[in-house]
Amino acid sequence: MIQHILLIEDEVNIAKFVELELQHENFQVTVSHDGREGADLALNHDYDLMLIDVMLPSLNGLEICRRVRKKKNTPIILITARDAIIDRVSGLEAGADDYVVKPFAIEELLARIRAIFRRVEPTLESKKSELTIKGLVVDQKAHQVFYSGKEVELTKTEYDMLVYLMENFNMVLSRDAILEKVWGYDVEVETNVVDVYIRHLRKKLPSEIAATIETVRGVGYVMR
C-alpha cells in the first residue's frame, strides 16, 4: 500500500523539492503552503505521516500540531529553522514525534520518515497480544491502552515508550536505549527528548501507574 504524506511548507521551492523526492521514493504527497489550509487538510483527511513547517502564514506549525493531537495519533515531523533546545522541546511538547532543522539533507529526512514507518508497521516478532501491569492493560493487536475499563489515549511515541517499559518490567533502561528502541535510529540530539516524553506519559497515565515509572538518576528509567 502506498503511504500518503501531508507536507505543509510555505517555501515553495523547498516544498517542491521535498515533494519530488518523496514521490521518487514512492510516497503519495499532498502539499499545502498555508497554515490554515494545512490544518484543515490535517484534521479532515487521513494521512500516514505529516511534515509540518513551524513558521507558516496564518497558523504556525506548533498550533497545527496541537490541534491534530487532540483528534489523531498520526506521526508528525516538524520542520524548523530554529536549532535551540527550547525550540526542539516546544515541538515535542506540542505532540511532534520528531523534527528536522533547516537546512537539512534530504537523506536525513527520508531516514527519519522510514524510521517512523518502521515503528508503526506491525512487528514480525511474536509477542503477547496483551501486556498487563497493576490493572493497566495494553492490547497490542488493537494498539489501545486501558485502565479499569477506560481507554487511556496516548500518542504513537508515548505508546511505544510504555510498551518498552512494560516489556522490560523491573529492568533499568538507559535513555540511549530508549531513544534507539522508540525512535528507531541513532538520534543525534540530547537525551532530554526521552525526559520530555516520560513526563507526557506520566501525566496521561493514572497516578497509580505513573508512580511505577521511576527515574534512575544518571541512567534512565524503570517501571516496577
Side-chain angles (χ1 to χ4, degrees):
M1 182 179 296
I2 296 178
Q3 291 154 318
H4 193 177
I5 295 176
L6 173 64
L7 171 62
I8 310 175
E9 167 61 69
D10 65 316
E11 295 188 49
V12 177
N13 290 339
I14 292 178
K16 189 61 178 178
F17 170 70
V18 173
E19 179 186 12
L20 290 174
E21 291 291 335
L22 291 174
Q23 290 174 341
H24 182 71
E25 296 294 320
N26 295 318
F27 294 116
Q28 180 182 351
V29 186
T30 295
V31 180
S32 172
H33 303 299
D34 177 77
R36 292 195 182 280
E37 179 192 62
D40 182 68
L41 289 170
L43 293 170
N44 295 297
H45 300 273
D46 292 327
Y47 301 96
D48 297 295
L49 183 139
M50 299 179 187
L51 297 173
I52 305 176
D53 187 26
V54 172
M55 302 300 293
L56 291 166
S58 72
L59 190 67
N60 70 57
L62 294 180
E63 181 57 30
I64 296 174
C65 194
R66 293 187 190 98
R67 294 184 185 186
V68 170
R69 278 292 165 262
K70 290 180 181 179
K71 294 181 62 176
K72 301 181 177 185
N73 290 328
T74 307
I76 295 173
I77 298 178
L78 287 180
I79 303 172
T80 176
R82 298 176 177 177
D83 195 25
I85 296 300
I86 186 63
D87 295 309
R88 298 179 186 181
V89 172
S90 295
L92 296 172
E93 292 276 10
D97 296 274
D98 202 353
Y99 54 84
V100 291
V101 178
K102 294 178 180 178
F104 55 83
I106 191 64
E107 292 81 8
E108 177 189 7
L109 177 60
L110 292 172
R112 291 174 184 267
I113 291 171
R114 293 189 192 103
I116 285 181
F117 282 143
R118 283 199 299 271
R119 286 162 42 202
V120 300
E121 289 173 354
T123 178
L124 297 178
E125 299 176 0
S126 60
K127 58 167 66 176
K128 295 179 181 178
S129 61
E130 284 191 355
L131 295 172
T132 305
I133 293 176
K134 298 184 178 181
L136 185 74
V137 178
V138 175
D139 183 339
Q140 295 195 85
K141 289 185 177 179
H143 248 248
Q144 291 177 297
V145 180
F146 298 92
Y147 183 76
S148 297
K150 185 177 180 180
E151 184 174 2
V152 180
E153 295 187 2
L154 301 176
T155 68
K156 181 68 176 66
T157 300
E158 293 161 355
Y159 173 88
D160 289 343
M161 183 173 286
L162 176 62
V163 168
Y164 189 42
L165 288 166
M166 292 178 71
E167 287 178 336
N168 294 276
F169 194 71
N170 283 328
M171 292 180 60
V172 177
L173 302 172
S174 70
R175 289 175 175 82
D176 287 336
I178 295 172
L179 278 173
E180 183 177 352
K181 176 65 176 182
V182 175
W183 273 260
Y185 58 95
D186 287 333
V187 187
E188 295 181 0
V189 297
E190 293 73 8
T191 52
N192 62 2
V193 168
V194 173
D195 301 329
V196 169
Y197 273 91
I198 287 289
R199 187 162 68 249
H200 286 326
L201 191 56
R202 283 171 171 161
K203 287 181 179 179
K204 291 186 177 181
L205 292 173
S207 57
E208 298 87 345
I209 303 300
T212 68
I213 303 176
E214 300 178 8
T215 303
V216 181
R217 187 176 298 276
V219 182
Y221 296 92
V222 60
M223 192 174 195
R224 54 188 168 204

